[in-house]
Amino acid sequence: MSDRAALLKGIRTWLALFVVCLALSGATAFPLVHELRWTEDLLRALSVPKHLPALTDWITHVRQGLDTADADYPFVLYGTDWLAFAHLVIAVAFYGPYRDPVRNIWVVEFGMIACAGIIPLALICGPIRGIPFWWSVIDMSFGVFGVIPLHVVRKKIKRLERLTSEPVPGLATA
């Protein structure tokens, strides 16, 4: 396998991983009410309240809020539907670098900027919305872990770009 083919394969593998994770994290925003009920049941079944009571209390508090919103103000949850949709749309945008990485490196860089933006968003909006700091740290980890595959992809694209721009030995240049 040529260097170019190996780089392209690596780029596509990392992008596929990123897109799957992005789409899954978005898709989980659709059934939030049910997910939190399942999560609460699972935490209790695993005896988590004994070891991490703050986590269990927070999940219960959020579930109660979502239950109330779902019962009395279901339109509020429409915002999380849009959040899910945005994840899916952004995931589709990564088809560009999958198809032509050098030309569409900007999509990867845009994703890296978005990952970096998660940190100030969590630090600013978390306290405004009454989110515990430890939960904001979990939210910020999505940006940290999201930027890792994108950084790897960007480095590989830059190497691919250098390989693509190198003159082919034996060919005359005008």
Side-chain angles (χ1 to χ4, degrees), residues 138-152:
I138 292 170
D139 289 339
M140 289 184 280
S141 74
F142 282 91
V144 173
F145 291 120
V147 81
I148 292 169
L150 294 178
H151 178 67
V152 170

Side-chain angles (χ1 to χ4, degrees), residues 107-171:
V107 176
V108 174
E109 293 168 343
F110 164 80
M112 293 172 76
I113 293 166
C115 286
I118 291 171
I119 294 170
L121 177 84
L123 290 173
I124 295 166
C125 295
I128 291 170
R129 301 290 184 206
I131 306 299
F133 179 73
W134 57 267
W135 193 266
S136 292
V137 171
I138 292 170
D139 289 339
M140 289 184 280
S141 74
F142 282 91
V144 173
F145 291 120
V147 81
I148 292 169
L150 294 178
H151 178 67
V152 170
V153 166
R154 186 178 183 283
K155 283 175 52 175
K156 288 180 178 290
I157 291 172
K158 287 297 192 180
R159 271 189 283 176
L160 180 64
E161 182 179 40
R162 285 191 299 276
L163 274 177
T164 306
S165 64
E166 288 177 3
V168 178
L171 281 180

Side-chain angles (χ1 to χ4, degrees), residues 1 28 37 39 61 67 69 77 81 115 142 148:
M1 179 183 300
T28 62
R37 288 181 192 146
T39 301
H61 180 66
D67 282 346
L77 297 179
D81 296 337
C115 286
F142 282 91
I148 292 169

Side-chain angles (χ1 to χ4, degrees), residues 31-67:
L32 278 181
V33 174
H34 300 294
E35 283 175 344
L36 276 173
R37 288 181 192 146
W38 299 331
T39 301
E40 194 174 24
D41 291 343
L42 180 65
L43 292 175
R44 291 191 196 299
L46 296 174
S47 301
V48 172
K50 292 178 190 172
H51 307 291
L52 297 169
L55 172 64
T56 307
D57 291 346
W58 175 248
I59 296 295
T60 299
H61 180 66
V62 172
R63 194 241 339 125
Q64 290 169 341
L66 284 174
D67 282 346

